[in-house]
């Protein structure tokens, strides 16, 4: 087998080649919801925006499933390639693809069956519910396609084709962006038209992703690679659990956050709908920064995984630290925009009264105050997944959302009302950042000791 560039190519060049397409693909995923939000805000109003917000947990759950299988199978795929075991790599990829299909269909059936109950759980008010039901009922049809596309994109990147992975997502996004204004403003289909444009874009991306099955460069599939092996499936899920757990935790945060905002908002001049609509805009705007961080983490993962499998620990360290540097630059730009130009950003999503803009600006500035460092926790969690320490990665994924943010959202508003909900975000971000630095520092120190012992033994 020819020597893999992941083993010898310059880290900065590898990260650029893998991360930039991954960033574009991740951005496209977040833009699906943002484009809908912008056109719905302009064509339907802030109740339509609120409807997409309470429907958003369906998308985060979908992404959690895609990451569970996609990241898990891609991580095992990369580790096997690093160990020069292509047959096992093909089995990991084949089992992952079958799991994507099974989970995607199951999610659609469950989502449609429990649609009314879930939307109420997600925080839909009486005024928002009809819009949310129409939007979520349609977009759930596209969820199986989205799970398979996102899962496949991880395998495609791990196979050394990050540009193809990016193209899969970009095609769907372009279709969605073109169809949204046509369906909303020309056909006057409102929120239904936005949802229909979304799933048509997802189907197009799915077709392009599936096409790659016949074009893998490092492996060749055999029929037996697609026969489910329980042990392989469990290991795949264990490798993807950290990234998935983070998304599941985000879903719980969204549910608690939306319900807390409506509860405490009712006690203020803002009421229930304004905090709900403003929250969704702020979260989805921040999703652009997070999408870039996710793209960096997905791009660096095969580099870290391969070199860890090949026991080249200095390259593992170099790749992680370079990814952190990239993250800090992007986050600094985000911090500047969120603090200095919040009203301009919010106005992109439609008009509102004075109270709406007042709360939305306040929300953006306070809740995203620690955006400068909150990507470190995500990158660190992916780092542990890439080196096969899935449980440590899962634990780190849960720290910010479950161990810190949820308790803070529930506790602080008891004294500070709706402002307490806003303060919970930056406090949780800072604590998770400190914990991430401590855990990764210990791991890198451990790898350096192993490397030094190896060098001494070879002498």
């Amino acid at each position: 087998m020819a020597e893999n560039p992941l083993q010898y190519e310059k880290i900065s060049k590898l990260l650029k080649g893998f991360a930039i397409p991954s960033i574009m693909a991740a951005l496209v995923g977040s833009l699906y919801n943002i484009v809908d939000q912008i056109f719905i805000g302009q064509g339907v109003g802030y109740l339509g925006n609120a409807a997409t917000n309470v429907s958003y947990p369906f998308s985060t759950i979908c992404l959690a499933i895609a990451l569970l299988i996609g990241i898990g199978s891609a991580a095992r795929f990369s580790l096997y390639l690093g160990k020069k075991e292509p047959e096992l790599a093909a089995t990991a990829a084949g089992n992952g693809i079958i799991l994507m299909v099974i989970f995607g269909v199951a999610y659609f059936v469950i989502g449609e069956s429990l649609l009314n109950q879930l939307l109420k759980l997600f925080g839909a008010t009486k005024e928002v519910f009809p819009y949310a039901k129409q939007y979520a009922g349609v977009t759930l049809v596209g969820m199986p396609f989205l799970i398979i596309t996102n899962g496949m994109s991880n395998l495609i990147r791990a196979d050394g084709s990050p540009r193809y992975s990016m193209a899969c997502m970009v095609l769907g996004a372009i279709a969605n962006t073109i169809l949204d204004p046509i369906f909303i403003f020309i056909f006057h289909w409102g929120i239904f038209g936005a949802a229909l444009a979304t799933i048509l874009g997802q189907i197009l991306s799915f077709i392009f992703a599936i096409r790659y099955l016949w074009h893998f460069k490092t492996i060749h599939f055999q029929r037996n690679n697609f026969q489910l092996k329980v042990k392989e499936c469990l290991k795949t899920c264990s490798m993807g659990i950290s990234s998935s757990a983070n998304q599941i935790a985000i879903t719980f945060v969204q549910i608690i956050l939306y319900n807390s905002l409506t509860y405490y908002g009712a006690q203020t001049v803002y009421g229930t709908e304004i905090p709900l609509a403003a929250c969704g805009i702020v979260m989805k705007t921040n999703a652009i920064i997070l999408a870039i961080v996710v793209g960096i983490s997905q791009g660096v993962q095969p580099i870290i995984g391969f070199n860890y499998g090949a026991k080249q620990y200095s390259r593992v360290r170099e790749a992680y630290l370079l990814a952190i540097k990239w993250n800090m630059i992007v986050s600094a730009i985000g911090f500047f925009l969120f603090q200095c130009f919040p009203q301009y950003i919010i106005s992109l999503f439609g008009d509102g009264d004075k109270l709406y803009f007042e709360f939305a600006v306040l929300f953006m500035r306070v809740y995203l105050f620690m955006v400068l460092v909150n990507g470190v926790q995500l990158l660190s969690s992916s780092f542990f997944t890439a080196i096969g320490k899935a449980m440590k990665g899962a634990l780190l994924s849960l720290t910010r959302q479950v161990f810190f943010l949820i308790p803070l959202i529930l506790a602080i508003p008891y004294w500070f009302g709706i402002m307490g909900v806003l303060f919970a975000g930056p406090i949780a971000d800072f604590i998770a950042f400190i914990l991430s630095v401590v855990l990764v520092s210990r791991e890198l120190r451990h790898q350096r000791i192993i490397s030094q012992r190896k060098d001494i033994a070879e002498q």
Side-chain angles (χ1 to χ4, degrees):
M1 181 187 295
E3 194 173 25
N4 196 311
L6 291 171
Q7 191 169 0
Y8 64 84
E9 189 63 80
K10 190 177 180 181
I11 293 294
S12 58
K13 182 177 179 180
L14 286 172
L15 186 56
K16 182 179 178 181
F18 277 84
I20 290 178
S22 300
I23 290 169
M24 295 299 297
L27 276 174
V28 166
S30 66
L31 286 174
Y32 268 116
N33 290 289
I34 292 173
V35 167
D36 280 353
Q37 187 106 30
I38 291 173
F39 284 119
I40 289 170
Q42 300 290 340
V44 180
Y46 77 90
L47 285 178
N49 272 337
T52 63
N53 297 339
V54 297
S55 302
Y56 196 50
F58 284 113
S59 296
T60 56
I61 295 170
C62 176
L63 182 57
I65 296 171
L67 290 174
L68 176 71
I69 305 167
I71 292 290
S73 57
R76 289 185 62 74
F77 181 87
S78 295
L79 286 170
Y80 282 135
L81 288 181
K83 296 176 182 177
K84 303 188 185 318
E85 296 177 335
E87 293 181 3
L88 292 176
T91 298
N95 274 243
I97 293 166
I98 297 300
L99 281 178
M100 294 170 203
V101 175
I102 294 172
F103 275 69
V105 173
Y107 181 54
F108 164 73
V109 172
I110 294 170
E112 291 287 1
S113 302
L114 302 176
L115 182 59
N116 290 351
Q117 297 92 322
L118 289 172
L119 285 175
K120 291 176 182 177
L121 176 66
F122 295 162
T125 62
K126 183 178 179 180
E127 292 78 8
V128 171
F129 183 83
Y131 295 96
K133 183 176 181 180
Q134 188 176 30
Y135 184 79
V138 176
T139 54
L140 275 168
V141 175
M143 295 299 176
F145 301 105
L146 187 59
I147 287 172
I148 296 170
T149 302
N150 281 336
M152 278 292 298
S153 69
N154 287 284
L155 287 171
I156 293 169
R157 277 192 298 271
D159 188 55
S161 300
R163 291 184 180 179
Y164 192 99
S165 174
M166 176 186 69
C168 291
M169 303 300 293
V170 169
L171 281 175
I174 292 173
N176 181 46
T177 304
I178 294 172
L179 293 175
D180 254 332
I182 293 174
F183 290 168
I184 294 174
F185 300 113
I186 297 178
F187 292 171
H188 301 290
W189 288 348
I191 204 164
F192 168 79
L196 181 61
T198 296
I199 65 170
L200 291 176
Q202 290 167 350
I203 291 172
L204 180 61
S205 291
F206 162 80
I207 293 171
F208 201 65
I210 288 297
R211 177 180 173 271
Y212 193 81
L213 284 174
W214 291 270
H215 300 279
F216 269 83
K217 297 186 294 186
T218 57
I219 59 172
H220 296 287
F221 284 117
Q222 303 295 328
R223 182 173 296 181
N224 66 304
N225 297 138
F226 296 95
Q227 295 175 357
L228 283 183
K229 295 177 174 59
V230 175
K231 186 176 180 181
E232 181 61 42
C233 291
L234 291 174
K235 288 183 177 180
T236 291
C237 291
S238 71
M239 293 288 279
I241 192 65
S242 65
S243 298
S244 179
N246 191 51
Q247 285 299 315
I248 293 171
I250 288 173
T251 303
F252 280 112
V253 168
Q254 288 171 339
I255 295 170
I256 293 171
L257 185 60
Y258 293 162
N259 282 281
S260 296
L261 286 169
T262 54
Y263 177 78
Y264 290 104
Q267 302 173 18
T268 69
V269 294
Y270 303 117
T272 57
E273 274 74 35
I274 285 178
L276 195 61
C279 175
I281 290 173
V282 171
M283 298 291 278
K284 290 180 182 178
T285 303
N286 185 44
I288 297 176
I289 301 297
L290 291 178
I292 297 174
V293 178
V294 167
I296 294 172
S297 68
Q298 290 179 343
V300 79
Q301 190 172 55
I303 304 171
I304 290 175
F306 185 97
N307 284 284
Y308 188 83
K311 298 182 179 180
Q312 296 193 15
Y313 300 123
S314 62
R315 289 174 64 81
V316 171
R317 177 187 179 87
E318 183 183 354
Y320 171 78
L321 293 178
L322 184 59
I324 290 292
K325 180 180 177 181
W326 283 27
N327 161 65
M328 296 296 285
I329 293 172
V330 171
S331 298
I333 296 171
F335 177 83
F336 174 75
L337 294 175
F338 296 152
Q339 296 301 316
C340 298
F341 305 103
Q343 188 154 352
Y344 293 100
I345 297 172
I346 293 162
S347 63
L348 293 174
F349 296 87
D351 295 326
D353 59 23
K354 181 180 178 181
L355 284 175
Y356 168 73
F357 276 103
E358 178 183 300
F359 183 79
V361 168
L362 180 66
F363 198 125
M364 181 169 287
R365 282 178 170 160
V366 175
Y367 195 80
L368 301 182
F369 187 74
M370 292 302 297
V371 71
L372 188 64
V373 298
N374 67 8
V376 174
Q377 177 255 349
L378 194 154
L379 282 166
S380 300
S381 173
S382 296
F383 166 77
F384 284 111
T385 297
I387 64 175
K389 298 187 178 182
M391 293 309 298
K392 187 171 287 189
L395 178 64
L396 196 53
S397 289
L398 295 174
T399 53
R400 193 260 180 186
Q401 312 291 353
V402 175
F403 300 148
F404 303 144
L405 185 55
I406 291 177
L408 288 169
I409 289 176
L410 296 174
I412 300 180
Y414 182 79
W415 293 281
F416 297 99
I418 198 167
M419 285 301 300
V421 180
L422 276 58
F423 289 141
I427 295 173
D429 288 337
F430 181 72
I431 299 172
F433 164 70
I434 296 299
L435 182 61
S436 299
V437 170
V438 171
L439 291 179
V440 173
S441 296
R442 288 180 178 177
E443 174 60 33
L444 292 177
R445 192 181 305 117
H446 175 67
Q447 291 181 16
R448 187 164 56 247
I449 291 172
I450 294 175
S451 182
Q452 289 171 348
R453 289 175 179 172
K454 179 183 176 183
D455 291 341
I456 292 172
E458 290 177 350
Q459 291 175 1

